[in-house]
Amino acid sequence: MQDLGLAQEGKYGLYDKFRGRIIFPIRDIAGRVIAFGGRLIDGEGAKYLNSSESQIYSKRKNLYLLDKARKSIREKKRSILVEGYMDAIRLHKCGFDEAVASLGTSLTAEQAETLSRFADRCYICYDNDKAGQNAMLSSMFVLQKHGLDVYVVNISGSKDPDEFLAEHSPADFEDALTKACPLIIQYIEAFKPSLADTLTRKSAMKELFMTLSELAVHEVLQHKLFLSEATGIPPSKISLCCKTSC
C-alpha cells in the first residue's frame, strides 16, 4: 500500500493517504484501475491529491477517462482535452464522451503521442485562470509537434468546462467547439498586449517568432495576414521571420 501511494507513515503509524476525499479511480487504456485522484471534502490539505508514480502507474503515459473515450474519439475524429476530473466527467455526462483530462498541469509528449493514435484533431479547453491558460499554451505546442491539429475552445465567463456546462446547454458547448480558434491564432492573440507596448515589443516579437519557427512554415503561413496585422511586419516578410526568428 505504501509502494502504491495508498498509505503513508504518520506519527501514530500508517494512515490512509486519501482519507476525507472523494475518490476518482484512474484507469489505463484497458480499463484497469492503476491509481487514484482524491478531492478534499473534510479536514485540511491540498484540494486535490493524486497517487504517486509506481510500478503500475506513470501519469506521463495516461489520460483520465481515455478507456471510455477512445472509441468515441475514433468515431468523431476528434478529442477534447481538459484539465480536471470533474471537467471530463461533466463532458461525458453531457454527451461529449470524446473528452479526456491530463493528469497534471503539463501535458507530456507521451500523452500527446497517445492522443494522436486515435484522431488527428484535438480541442483543448483548460481552466480560464492564469495557470490554466499558461498550461494550455504549452500543451498546444506539445500536441502540434505530435501531428495534431489543435483548436482552442473559448468559454469566457466560466472558470472551467464543468462550470460552463452547469450553466449552459450541450448545444452551447458544441457551438463553442465550432468557433474554436486554431492554435497559431490563439498564440498570436496572447502576444498582442506585449506587441502593442513599446517597452515589451522587441522581446515579445523575438519570443513569438522563436516559438513559431519550431512549427512547419506552411502551417504558420496559413495565418500570415493575421500575423502581419498583429506584428506590423509586411506579409511578404513573414516567411523569412518564421525561418530566422526575426
Coordinates of all heavy atoms in Angstrom, one line a residue, residues 10-90:
G10 N 2.7 8.0 9.5 CA 2.4 9.1 10.3 C 3.0 9.0 11.7 O 3.7 8.0 12.0
K11 N 2.6 9.9 12.5 CA 3.1 10.0 13.9 C 2.7 8.7 14.7 O 3.4 8.2 15.5 CB 2.6 11.2 14.6 CG 3.1 11.4 16.0 CD 2.6 12.7 16.6 CE 3.1 12.9 18.0 NZ 2.6 14.2 18.6
Y12 N 1.5 8.2 14.3 CA 0.9 7.1 15.1 C 0.9 5.8 14.2 O 0.1 4.9 14.4 CB -0.4 7.4 15.6 CG -0.4 8.6 16.6 CD1 -0.9 9.8 16.1 CD2 0.1 8.5 17.8 CE1 -0.9 10.9 17.0 CE2 0.1 9.6 18.7 CZ -0.4 10.8 18.2 OH -0.4 11.9 19.1
G13 N 1.7 5.8 13.2 CA 1.7 4.6 12.3 C 1.1 4.9 10.9 O 1.0 6.1 10.5
L14 N 0.8 3.9 10.1 CA 0.2 4.1 8.8 C -1.1 4.7 8.8 O -1.9 4.4 9.7 CB 0.2 2.8 8.1 CG 1.5 2.1 7.6 CD1 1.2 0.8 7.0 CD2 2.3 3.0 6.7
Y15 N -1.4 5.6 7.9 CA -2.8 6.1 7.7 C -3.1 6.2 6.3 O -2.3 6.2 5.4 CB -2.8 7.5 8.4 CG -2.1 8.6 7.7 CD1 -2.7 9.4 6.7 CD2 -0.8 8.9 8.0 CE1 -2.0 10.4 6.1 CE2 0.0 9.9 7.3 CZ -0.7 10.6 6.4 OH 0.0 11.6 5.7
D16 N -4.4 6.3 6.0 CA -5.0 6.3 4.6 C -4.7 7.7 4.0 O -5.1 8.7 4.5 CB -6.5 6.1 4.7 CG -7.2 6.3 3.4 OD1 -6.5 6.3 2.4 OD2 -8.4 6.3 3.4
K17 N -3.9 7.7 2.9 CA -3.5 8.9 2.3 C -4.6 9.7 1.7 O -4.6 10.9 1.7 CB -2.5 8.6 1.2 CG -1.9 9.8 0.4 CD -0.9 9.3 -0.6 CE -0.4 10.5 -1.5 NZ 0.6 10.1 -2.5
F18 N -5.7 9.0 1.3 CA -6.8 9.6 0.7 C -8.0 9.8 1.6 O -9.2 10.0 1.1 CB -7.3 8.8 -0.6 CG -6.3 8.9 -1.7 CD1 -5.3 7.9 -1.9 CD2 -6.3 9.9 -2.6 CE1 -4.4 7.9 -2.9 CE2 -5.4 10.0 -3.6 CZ -4.4 9.0 -3.8
R19 N -7.8 9.8 2.9 CA -8.9 10.0 3.8 C -9.6 11.4 3.7 O -8.9 12.4 3.3 CB -8.4 9.9 5.3 CG -7.4 10.9 5.7 CD -6.8 10.6 7.1 NE -5.8 11.7 7.4 CZ -5.1 11.6 8.5 NH1 -5.2 10.6 9.4 NH2 -4.3 12.6 8.8
G20 N -10.9 11.4 3.8 CA -11.7 12.6 3.7 C -11.7 13.2 2.3 O -11.9 14.4 2.1
R21 N -11.6 12.3 1.3 CA -11.7 12.8 -0.1 C -12.6 12.0 -0.9 O -12.8 10.8 -0.7 CB -10.2 12.7 -0.7 CG -9.2 13.6 0.0 CD -7.8 13.4 -0.6 NE -6.9 14.2 0.1 CZ -6.6 15.5 -0.3 NH1 -7.2 16.0 -1.3 NH2 -5.8 16.2 0.4
I22 N -13.2 12.6 -1.9 CA -13.9 11.9 -3.0 C -12.9 11.3 -3.9 O -12.0 12.0 -4.3 CB -14.8 12.9 -3.8 CG1 -15.9 13.5 -2.8 CG2 -15.5 12.2 -4.9 CD1 -16.7 14.6 -3.5
I23 N -13.1 10.0 -4.2 CA -12.1 9.3 -5.0 C -12.4 9.2 -6.4 O -13.6 8.8 -6.8 CB -11.9 7.9 -4.4 CG1 -11.4 7.9 -2.9 CG2 -10.9 7.1 -5.2 CD1 -10.1 8.7 -2.7
F24 N -11.5 9.5 -7.3 CA -11.6 9.3 -8.7 C -10.6 8.2 -9.2 O -9.4 8.4 -9.2 CB -11.2 10.6 -9.5 CG -12.1 11.8 -9.1 CD1 -11.8 12.6 -8.0 CD2 -13.2 12.1 -9.8 CE1 -12.6 13.7 -7.7 CE2 -14.0 13.1 -9.5 CZ -13.7 13.9 -8.4
P25 N -11.1 7.0 -9.5 CA -10.3 5.9 -10.0 C -9.7 6.3 -11.3 O -10.4 6.8 -12.2 CB -11.2 4.7 -10.1 CG -12.4 5.1 -9.3 CD -12.5 6.5 -9.4
I26 N -8.4 6.1 -11.5 CA -7.7 6.4 -12.7 C -7.4 5.0 -13.4 O -6.8 4.2 -12.7 CB -6.4 7.2 -12.5 CG1 -6.7 8.5 -11.9 CG2 -5.6 7.3 -13.8 CD1 -5.5 9.3 -11.3
R27 N -7.8 4.9 -14.6 CA -7.7 3.6 -15.3 C -6.7 3.7 -16.5 O -6.6 4.8 -17.1 CB -9.1 3.1 -15.8 CG -10.1 2.9 -14.6 CD -11.5 2.6 -15.2 NE -12.4 2.5 -14.1 CZ -12.7 1.5 -13.4 NH1 -12.1 0.3 -13.7 NH2 -13.6 1.5 -12.4
D28 N -6.1 2.6 -16.8 CA -5.3 2.6 -18.0 C -6.2 2.4 -19.2 O -7.4 2.3 -19.1 CB -4.2 1.5 -18.0 CG -4.7 0.1 -17.9 OD1 -5.9 -0.1 -18.2 OD2 -3.9 -0.8 -17.6
I29 N -5.6 2.4 -20.4 CA -6.4 2.3 -21.6 C -7.2 1.0 -21.7 O -8.3 1.0 -22.4 CB -5.5 2.4 -22.9 CG1 -6.3 2.9 -24.1 CG2 -4.7 1.2 -23.1 CD1 -5.4 3.3 -25.2
A30 N -6.8 0.0 -21.0 CA -7.6 -1.3 -21.0 C -8.7 -1.3 -19.9 O -9.5 -2.2 -19.8 CB -6.7 -2.4 -20.8
G31 N -8.8 -0.2 -19.1 CA -9.9 -0.1 -18.1 C -9.5 -0.6 -16.8 O -10.3 -0.7 -15.9
R32 N -8.2 -0.9 -16.5 CA -7.7 -1.4 -15.2 C -7.4 -0.3 -14.3 O -6.7 0.6 -14.8 CB -6.5 -2.4 -15.4 CG -6.8 -3.6 -16.3 CD -5.5 -4.3 -16.6 NE -4.7 -3.5 -17.5 CZ -3.6 -4.0 -18.1 NH1 -3.3 -5.3 -18.0 NH2 -2.9 -3.2 -18.9
V33 N -7.8 -0.3 -13.1 CA -7.5 0.7 -12.1 C -6.0 0.7 -11.8 O -5.5 -0.3 -11.3 CB -8.4 0.6 -10.8 CG1 -8.0 1.7 -9.8 CG2 -9.8 0.7 -11.2
I34 N -5.3 1.8 -12.0 CA -3.9 1.9 -11.7 C -3.5 3.0 -10.7 O -2.4 3.0 -10.3 CB -3.1 2.1 -13.1 CG1 -3.6 3.3 -13.8 CG2 -3.2 0.8 -14.0 CD1 -2.8 3.7 -15.0
A35 N -4.4 3.8 -10.4 CA -4.1 4.9 -9.5 C -5.4 5.6 -9.0 O -6.5 5.2 -9.5 CB -3.2 6.0 -10.1
F36 N -5.3 6.6 -8.2 CA -6.5 7.3 -7.7 C -6.2 8.8 -7.6 O -5.0 9.2 -7.4 CB -6.9 6.9 -6.3 CG -7.3 5.5 -6.2 CD1 -6.5 4.5 -5.7 CD2 -8.6 5.1 -6.7 CE1 -6.8 3.2 -5.7 CE2 -9.0 3.7 -6.6 CZ -8.1 2.8 -6.1
G37 N -7.2 9.6 -7.8 CA -7.2 11.0 -7.5 C -8.2 11.3 -6.4 O -9.2 10.5 -6.3
G38 N -8.0 12.2 -5.6 CA -8.9 12.5 -4.5 C -9.1 14.0 -4.2 O -8.1 14.7 -4.1
R39 N -10.4 14.4 -4.1 CA -10.7 15.8 -3.9 C -11.1 15.9 -2.4 O -12.0 15.2 -1.9 CB -11.9 16.3 -4.8 CG -12.1 17.8 -4.7 CD -13.4 18.2 -5.3 NE -13.5 19.6 -5.5 CZ -13.7 20.5 -4.5 NH1 -13.9 20.0 -3.2 NH2 -13.8 21.8 -4.7
L40 N -10.5 16.9 -1.7 CA -10.7 17.1 -0.3 C -12.2 17.5 0.0 O -12.7 18.4 -0.7 CB -9.8 18.2 0.2 CG -9.7 18.4 1.7 CD1 -9.1 17.2 2.4 CD2 -9.0 19.7 2.0
I41 N -12.8 16.9 0.9 CA -14.1 17.3 1.4 C -14.2 17.4 2.9 O -15.1 17.9 3.5 CB -15.2 16.3 1.0 CG1 -14.9 14.9 1.5 CG2 -15.4 16.3 -0.5 CD1 -16.0 13.9 1.3
D42 N -13.1 17.0 3.6 CA -13.1 17.1 5.1 C -11.6 17.3 5.5 O -10.7 16.6 5.1 CB -13.7 15.8 5.6 CG -13.7 15.8 7.1 OD1 -14.0 16.9 7.7 OD2 -13.4 14.8 7.8
G43 N -11.4 18.2 6.5 CA -10.1 18.4 7.1 C -9.3 19.4 6.2 O -9.8 20.1 5.4
E44 N -8.0 19.4 6.5 CA -7.1 20.3 5.9 C -6.2 19.5 4.9 O -6.0 18.3 5.0 CB -6.2 21.0 6.9 CG -7.0 21.9 7.9 CD -6.1 22.5 8.9 OE1 -4.9 22.2 8.9 OE2 -6.6 23.4 9.7
G45 N -5.6 20.3 3.9 CA -4.7 19.7 3.0 C -4.9 20.2 1.6 O -5.8 21.1 1.4
A46 N -4.2 19.7 0.6 CA -4.3 20.1 -0.8 C -5.7 19.8 -1.3 O -6.3 18.8 -0.9 CB -3.3 19.4 -1.6
K47 N -6.3 20.7 -2.2 CA -7.6 20.4 -2.7 C -7.7 19.1 -3.4 O -8.6 18.3 -3.3 CB -8.0 21.6 -3.6 CG -9.4 21.5 -4.2 CD -9.7 22.7 -5.1 CE -11.1 22.5 -5.7 NZ -11.4 23.7 -6.6
Y48 N -6.6 18.8 -4.3 CA -6.6 17.6 -5.0 C -5.3 16.8 -4.6 O -4.2 17.4 -4.5 CB -6.6 17.8 -6.5 CG -8.0 18.0 -7.0 CD1 -8.5 19.3 -7.3 CD2 -8.8 16.9 -7.3 CE1 -9.8 19.5 -7.8 CE2 -10.1 17.1 -7.8 CZ -10.6 18.4 -8.0 OH -11.9 18.5 -8.5
L49 N -5.4 15.5 -4.5 CA -4.3 14.7 -4.2 C -4.3 13.5 -5.2 O -5.3 12.9 -5.5 CB -4.4 14.1 -2.8 CG -3.1 13.4 -2.2 CD1 -2.0 14.4 -2.1 CD2 -3.5 12.8 -0.8
N50 N -3.1 13.2 -5.8 CA -3.1 12.1 -6.8 C -2.1 11.0 -6.3 O -1.2 11.3 -5.5 CB -2.6 12.7 -8.1 CG -3.5 13.7 -8.7 OD1 -4.7 13.5 -8.8 ND2 -3.0 14.9 -9.0
S51 N -2.3 9.8 -6.8 CA -1.4 8.7 -6.5 C 0.0 9.1 -7.0 O 0.2 9.8 -8.0 CB -1.8 7.4 -7.2 OG -3.0 6.9 -6.6
S52 N 1.0 8.7 -6.3 CA 2.4 8.9 -6.7 C 2.8 7.9 -7.8 O 2.1 6.9 -8.0 CB 3.3 8.8 -5.5 OG 3.1 7.6 -4.8
E53 N 3.8 8.2 -8.5 CA 4.3 7.2 -9.5 C 4.6 5.9 -8.8 O 5.1 5.8 -7.7 CB 5.6 7.8 -10.2 CG 5.4 9.1 -10.9 CD 5.0 9.0 -12.3 OE1 5.6 8.1 -13.0 OE2 4.1 9.7 -12.8
S54 N 4.3 4.8 -9.5 CA 4.6 3.5 -9.0 C 4.9 2.5 -10.1 O 5.0 2.9 -11.3 CB 3.3 3.0 -8.3 OG 2.3 2.7 -9.2
Q55 N 5.1 1.2 -9.8 CA 5.4 0.2 -10.8 C 4.3 0.1 -11.8 O 4.5 -0.3 -13.0 CB 5.7 -1.1 -10.1 CG 6.9 -1.2 -9.3 CD 7.1 -2.5 -8.6 OE1 6.3 -3.4 -8.8 NE2 8.2 -2.6 -7.8
I56 N 3.1 0.4 -11.5 CA 2.0 0.3 -12.4 C 1.4 1.6 -12.9 O 0.5 1.6 -13.7 CB 0.8 -0.6 -11.8 CG1 0.2 0.1 -10.6 CG2 1.3 -2.0 -11.4 CD1 -1.0 -0.5 -10.0
Y57 N 1.9 2.7 -12.4 CA 1.3 4.0 -12.8 C 2.3 5.0 -13.1 O 3.2 5.3 -12.3 CB 0.4 4.5 -11.6 CG -0.1 5.9 -11.9 CD1 -0.9 6.2 -13.0 CD2 0.2 7.0 -11.0 CE1 -1.4 7.5 -13.2 CE2 -0.3 8.3 -11.2 CZ -1.1 8.5 -12.3 OH -1.5 9.8 -12.5
S58 N 2.2 5.6 -14.3 CA 3.0 6.7 -14.7 C 2.1 7.8 -15.3 O 1.4 7.5 -16.3 CB 4.0 6.3 -15.8 OG 4.6 7.5 -16.3
K59 N 1.9 8.9 -14.6 CA 1.0 9.9 -15.1 C 1.4 10.5 -16.5 O 0.5 11.0 -17.2 CB 0.8 11.0 -14.1 CG 2.0 11.9 -13.9 CD 1.7 13.0 -12.9 CE 2.9 13.9 -12.6 NZ 2.7 15.0 -11.6
R60 N 2.6 10.3 -16.8 CA 3.1 10.8 -18.1 C 2.5 10.0 -19.3 O 2.4 10.5 -20.4 CB 4.6 10.7 -18.2 CG 5.4 11.6 -17.3 CD 6.9 11.4 -17.5 NE 7.3 11.8 -18.9 CZ 7.5 13.1 -19.3 NH1 7.4 14.1 -18.4 NH2 7.8 13.4 -20.5
K61 N 2.1 8.8 -19.0 CA 1.7 7.9 -20.1 C 0.1 7.7 -20.1 O -0.4 7.0 -21.0 CB 2.4 6.6 -20.0 CG 3.9 6.6 -20.1 CD 4.5 5.3 -19.9 CE 6.0 5.4 -19.9 NZ 6.7 4.1 -19.7
N62 N -0.6 8.3 -19.2 CA -2.0 8.0 -19.1 C -2.8 9.3 -19.2 O -2.4 10.4 -18.9 CB -2.3 7.3 -17.8 CG -1.7 5.9 -17.7 OD1 -2.3 5.0 -18.2 ND2 -0.6 5.8 -17.1
L63 N -4.1 9.1 -19.6 CA -5.1 10.2 -19.6 C -6.4 9.8 -19.0 O -6.8 8.7 -19.2 CB -5.3 10.6 -21.1 CG -4.2 11.3 -21.8 CD1 -4.3 11.1 -23.3 CD2 -4.2 12.8 -21.5
Y64 N -6.9 10.7 -18.1 CA -8.1 10.3 -17.4 C -9.3 10.1 -18.4 O -9.6 11.0 -19.2 CB -8.4 11.4 -16.4 CG -9.6 11.1 -15.5 CD1 -9.6 10.0 -14.6 CD2 -10.8 11.9 -15.5 CE1 -10.7 9.7 -13.8 CE2 -11.9 11.6 -14.7 CZ -11.8 10.6 -13.9 OH -12.9 10.3 -13.1
L65 N -10.0 9.0 -18.2 CA -11.2 8.6 -19.0 C -10.9 8.2 -20.4 O -11.8 8.0 -21.2 CB -12.3 9.7 -19.0 CG -13.0 9.9 -17.7 CD1 -14.1 10.9 -17.9 CD2 -13.5 8.7 -17.0
L66 N -9.6 8.0 -20.8 CA -9.3 7.5 -22.1 C -9.9 6.2 -22.4 O -10.3 5.9 -23.6 CB -7.8 7.5 -22.3 CG -7.3 7.1 -23.7 CD1 -7.9 8.0 -24.8 CD2 -5.8 7.0 -23.8
D67 N -9.9 5.3 -21.4 CA -10.5 4.0 -21.6 C -12.0 4.1 -22.1 O -12.4 3.2 -22.9 CB -10.4 3.1 -20.4 CG -11.2 3.8 -19.2 OD1 -10.9 4.9 -18.9 OD2 -12.0 3.1 -18.6
K68 N -12.7 5.1 -21.6 CA -14.1 5.3 -22.1 C -14.2 6.2 -23.3 O -15.2 6.1 -24.0 CB -14.9 5.9 -20.9 CG -15.1 4.9 -19.7 CD -15.8 5.6 -18.6 CE -16.2 4.6 -17.5 NZ -15.1 3.7 -17.0
A69 N -13.2 7.0 -23.6 CA -13.3 8.0 -24.6 C -12.7 7.5 -26.0 O -13.1 8.0 -27.0 CB -12.5 9.2 -24.2
R70 N -11.9 6.5 -26.0 CA -11.1 6.2 -27.2 C -12.0 5.8 -28.4 O -11.7 6.2 -29.5 CB -10.1 5.1 -26.9 CG -10.6 3.7 -26.4 CD -9.5 2.7 -26.2 NE -10.1 1.4 -25.8 CZ -9.4 0.3 -25.8 NH1 -8.1 0.3 -26.3 NH2 -9.9 -0.8 -25.3
K71 N -13.1 5.0 -28.1 CA -14.0 4.6 -29.2 C -14.6 5.9 -29.8 O -14.7 6.0 -31.0 CB -15.0 3.7 -28.7 CG -16.0 3.2 -29.8 CD -17.0 2.2 -29.2 CE -18.0 1.8 -30.3 NZ -19.1 0.9 -29.8
S72 N -15.1 6.8 -29.0 CA -15.8 8.0 -29.4 C -14.8 8.9 -30.2 O -15.2 9.5 -31.1 CB -16.4 8.7 -28.3 OG -17.1 9.8 -28.7
I73 N -13.6 9.0 -29.7 CA -12.5 9.8 -30.3 C -12.3 9.3 -31.8 O -12.3 10.1 -32.7 CB -11.2 9.8 -29.6 CG1 -11.4 10.5 -28.2 CG2 -10.1 10.5 -30.4 CD1 -10.1 10.3 -27.3
R74 N -12.3 8.0 -31.9 CA -12.1 7.5 -33.3 C -13.3 7.8 -34.2 O -13.2 8.2 -35.3 CB -11.9 5.9 -33.2 CG -10.5 5.5 -32.9 CD -10.2 4.1 -33.3 NE -8.8 3.7 -33.1 CZ -8.4 2.9 -32.1 NH1 -9.3 2.4 -31.2 NH2 -7.2 2.6 -31.9
E75 N -14.5 7.6 -33.6 CA -15.7 7.8 -34.4 C -16.0 9.2 -34.8 O -16.4 9.6 -35.9 CB -16.9 7.3 -33.6 CG -17.0 5.7 -33.4 CD -18.1 5.3 -32.5 OE1 -18.7 6.1 -31.9 OE2 -18.3 4.0 -32.5
K76 N -15.7 10.1 -33.8 CA -15.9 11.6 -34.1 C -14.7 12.3 -34.7 O -14.8 13.4 -35.1 CB -16.3 12.3 -32.7 CG -17.6 11.8 -32.1 CD -17.9 12.6 -30.9 CE -19.3 12.1 -30.3 NZ -19.6 12.9 -29.0
K77 N -13.6 11.5 -34.8 CA -12.4 12.1 -35.3 C -11.9 13.3 -34.6 O -11.3 14.2 -35.3 CB -12.6 12.3 -36.8 CG -12.8 11.0 -37.7 CD -13.0 11.4 -39.1 CE -13.1 10.1 -40.0 NZ -14.2 9.2 -39.5
R78 N -12.1 13.4 -33.3 CA -11.6 14.5 -32.5 C -11.5 14.1 -31.1 O -12.2 13.2 -30.6 CB -12.5 15.7 -32.7 CG -13.9 15.5 -31.9 CD -14.8 16.7 -32.1 NE -16.0 16.6 -31.3 CZ -17.1 17.3 -31.4 NH1 -17.1 18.3 -32.3 NH2 -18.1 17.2 -30.6
S79 N -10.6 14.7 -30.3 CA -10.6 14.6 -28.9 C -10.8 15.9 -28.3 O -10.5 16.9 -28.9 CB -9.3 14.0 -28.4 OG -8.2 14.8 -28.8
I80 N -11.3 15.9 -27.0 CA -11.4 17.2 -26.3 C -10.5 17.0 -25.0 O -10.8 16.1 -24.2 CB -12.9 17.5 -25.9 CG1 -13.8 17.6 -27.1 CG2 -12.9 18.8 -25.0 CD1 -15.2 17.7 -26.8
L81 N -9.5 17.9 -24.9 CA -8.6 17.8 -23.8 C -8.9 18.8 -22.7 O -9.0 20.0 -23.0 CB -7.2 17.9 -24.3 CG -6.1 17.9 -23.2 CD1 -6.0 16.5 -22.6 CD2 -4.7 18.3 -23.8
V82 N -9.2 18.4 -21.5 CA -9.5 19.3 -20.4 C -8.5 19.1 -19.3 O -7.7 18.2 -19.3 CB -10.9 19.1 -19.9 CG1 -11.9 19.5 -21.0 CG2 -11.2 17.7 -19.4
E83 N -8.6 19.9 -18.2 CA -7.6 19.9 -17.2 C -8.0 19.0 -16.0 O -7.1 18.4 -15.4 CB -7.4 21.3 -16.7 CG -6.2 21.6 -15.9 CD -5.9 23.1 -15.7 OE1 -6.6 23.9 -16.3 OE2 -5.0 23.4 -14.9
G84 N -9.3 19.0 -15.6 CA -9.6 18.3 -14.4 C -10.6 17.1 -14.5 O -11.2 16.9 -15.5
Y85 N -10.6 16.3 -13.4 CA -11.5 15.2 -13.4 C -13.0 15.6 -13.6 O -13.7 15.0 -14.4 CB -11.4 14.5 -12.0 CG -10.1 14.0 -11.6 CD1 -9.5 14.5 -10.5 CD2 -9.4 13.1 -12.4 CE1 -8.2 14.0 -10.1 CE2 -8.1 12.6 -12.0 CZ -7.5 13.1 -10.9 OH -6.3 12.7 -10.5
M86 N -13.4 16.6 -12.9 CA -14.8 17.0 -13.0 C -15.2 17.6 -14.4 O -16.3 17.4 -14.8 CB -15.2 18.0 -11.9 CG -15.2 17.5 -10.5 SD -16.3 16.0 -10.3 CE -17.8 16.7 -10.7
D87 N -14.2 18.2 -15.0 CA -14.4 18.7 -16.4 C -14.7 17.6 -17.3 O -15.7 17.6 -18.1 CB -13.2 19.5 -16.9 CG -12.9 20.7 -16.0 OD1 -13.9 21.4 -15.6 OD2 -11.7 21.0 -15.8
A88 N -13.9 16.5 -17.2 CA -14.0 15.4 -18.1 C -15.4 14.6 -17.8 O -16.1 14.2 -18.7 CB -12.9 14.4 -17.9
I89 N -15.7 14.5 -16.5 CA -16.9 13.7 -16.2 C -18.1 14.5 -16.7 O -19.1 13.9 -17.2 CB -17.0 13.5 -14.6 CG1 -15.9 12.5 -14.2 CG2 -18.4 13.1 -14.2 CD1 -15.7 12.4 -12.7
R90 N -18.1 15.8 -16.5 CA -19.3 16.7 -16.9 C -19.5 16.6 -18.4 O -20.6 16.4 -18.9 CB -19.1 18.1 -16.5 CG -20.1 19.1 -17.0 CD -21.4 19.0 -16.2 NE -21.2 19.6 -14.9 CZ -22.2 19.9 -14.0 NH1 -23.4 19.5 -14.3 NH2 -22.0 20.4 -12.8

